[in-house]
Amino acid sequence: VQGSSAPLARPTLTVSDMADAQACKRPAGGAFGQWMNVNRASLAEQAAKEGMTGMTAATKKAGEVWNKMSAADKEPWEKKFKEAQAAFEAYKNSDGFVAPEKKEKRGKGDDKKKNKDAEAPKKPVGGAYGVFQNEKRDEFTKVAQAKGEKGFGAVAKMASEAFKALSEEEKKPYQEKVDKLMKAYKFAMVAYKEKKGADQPDEAEEPSPAKASPKSKKASAKASPAKAKAKASPAGKKREQPPKEAAAPPAKKGRSAAKGKDAEDSGLPKALLAAAEKEGLKVELENLAKRPEIKAKGLGGDALLKALKDAGGLVNKAKAALLRA
């Protein structure tokens, strides 16, 4: 491995040599990167002799050797890195520079984006705990920052512990607030659906002759001679049989029937669903109860509802907690 005693031998990179579009790439890794690129093969060989395996074995070994090198041994590589940087900047500012195409982030394509209606009312989530957390978020954030804790997790944990410590009487005001929010949300959804329904064209309305397509006009033209022939045929030759009554189409299932079926599929008692509805967690409870992992564990509905409350209405978080228990 080069870099321990004698001056390191490597051709000096000049701006003119590196300005070529095919050869010049943005240097990465600093002086360490320049040194490792030259010594990669010998480092990998040395790592294998010492029993180090895996894709990162050579990098790990390189880190060990680099840390033991003196500042004098590292100095030539610092110089080479600066030369490479200068060469890249020269190429970047030249007429032959072609900027690399940016890779599209996973899940960010237009075809993968869900079309969410900005006018749709937002459903309050989390029940009484959600209201409590929203009101106390700023307070808990300041406390977490004072302790040196960062991120959403620390605030959420603090809010969860504080909510659990409240008595039923202390939780009551938050429950009343979420009840009002849910009521307002339902009224808003009714108005929203009525508006959206009015905006949709009536599917049952038949197209007027002026709007009829050329294909439909041709079809009607072909059918008209047959109809005229049937009307002109002499009566009495053969008695026509009265047409059979068409079977009535099956009745469409309304939303209430679909909701009832969902409740049956979840296998949850109506009393528990009513309690979950009061907490604003009915949909989340039914969703959690239908998960195959939860069904396999055979947990009761009360345990599922409690897990959802503790998780702030987050189904996946509640599921993870139940499976860990």
Side-chain angles (χ1 to χ4, degrees), residues 242-254:
K244 293 182 181 179
E245 292 184 4
K252 292 183 179 179
K253 294 183 180 180

Side-chain angles (χ1 to χ4, degrees), residues 133-197:
Q133 187 186 40
N134 289 336
E135 291 185 1
K136 301 287 185 180
R137 181 175 283 110
D138 292 340
E139 178 185 338
F140 292 141
T141 301
K142 290 178 182 178
V143 175
Q145 287 175 349
K147 292 181 179 179
E149 297 176 351
K150 297 180 180 180
F152 174 76
V155 177
K157 183 180 179 181
M158 199 177 298
S160 178
E161 291 173 354
F163 187 74
K164 288 177 185 178
L166 296 178
S167 64
E168 291 300 321
E169 193 64 28
E170 290 172 325
K171 291 179 182 178
K172 192 174 179 181
Y174 299 105
Q175 184 58 52
E176 291 173 354
K177 289 180 182 179
V178 80
D179 290 342
K180 288 181 182 179
L181 289 172
M182 283 300 297
K183 190 174 181 180
Y185 165 74
K186 288 176 182 178
F187 276 115
M189 276 303 294
V190 171
Y192 168 75
K193 288 178 180 178
E194 286 178 356
K195 181 184 176 183
K196 287 297 174 183

Side-chain angles (χ1 to χ4, degrees), residues 23-81:
C24 188
K25 294 182 180 179
R26 184 188 295 273
F32 171 77
Q34 298 290 316
W35 170 79
M36 185 176 175
N37 287 339
V38 174
N39 297 284
R40 188 181 299 275
S42 58
L43 287 165
E45 186 179 347
Q46 189 174 347
K49 287 180 181 179
E50 295 179 9
M52 300 170 70
T53 58
M55 295 178 65
T56 60
T59 306
K60 188 176 180 181
K61 185 62 187 175
E64 293 176 2
V65 176
W66 179 261
N67 290 333
K68 293 177 182 178
M69 288 171 60
S70 65
D73 290 336
K74 292 178 182 179
E75 186 177 354
W77 302 103
E78 295 283 356
K79 183 180 177 182
K80 292 180 189 303
F81 174 67

Side-chain angles (χ1 to χ4, degrees), residues 107-148:
K108 295 291 183 181
D110 294 336
D111 55 336
K112 295 182 181 180
K113 287 184 179 179
K114 293 183 179 178
N115 296 323
K116 293 184 179 179
D117 194 344
E119 296 180 3
K122 292 184 180 180
K123 183 179 180 181
V125 295
Y129 169 75
V131 175
F132 172 80
Q133 187 186 40
N134 289 336
E135 291 185 1
K136 301 287 185 180
R137 181 175 283 110
D138 292 340
E139 178 185 338
F140 292 141
T141 301
K142 290 178 182 178
V143 175
Q145 287 175 349
K147 292 181 179 179

Side-chain angles (χ1 to χ4, degrees), residues 78-98:
E78 295 283 356
K79 183 180 177 182
K80 292 180 189 303
F81 174 67
K82 289 178 181 178
E83 289 174 354
Q85 273 187 318
F88 176 76
E89 288 299 323
Y91 164 59
K92 187 177 178 182
N93 296 325
S94 67
D95 295 335
F97 175 70
V98 179

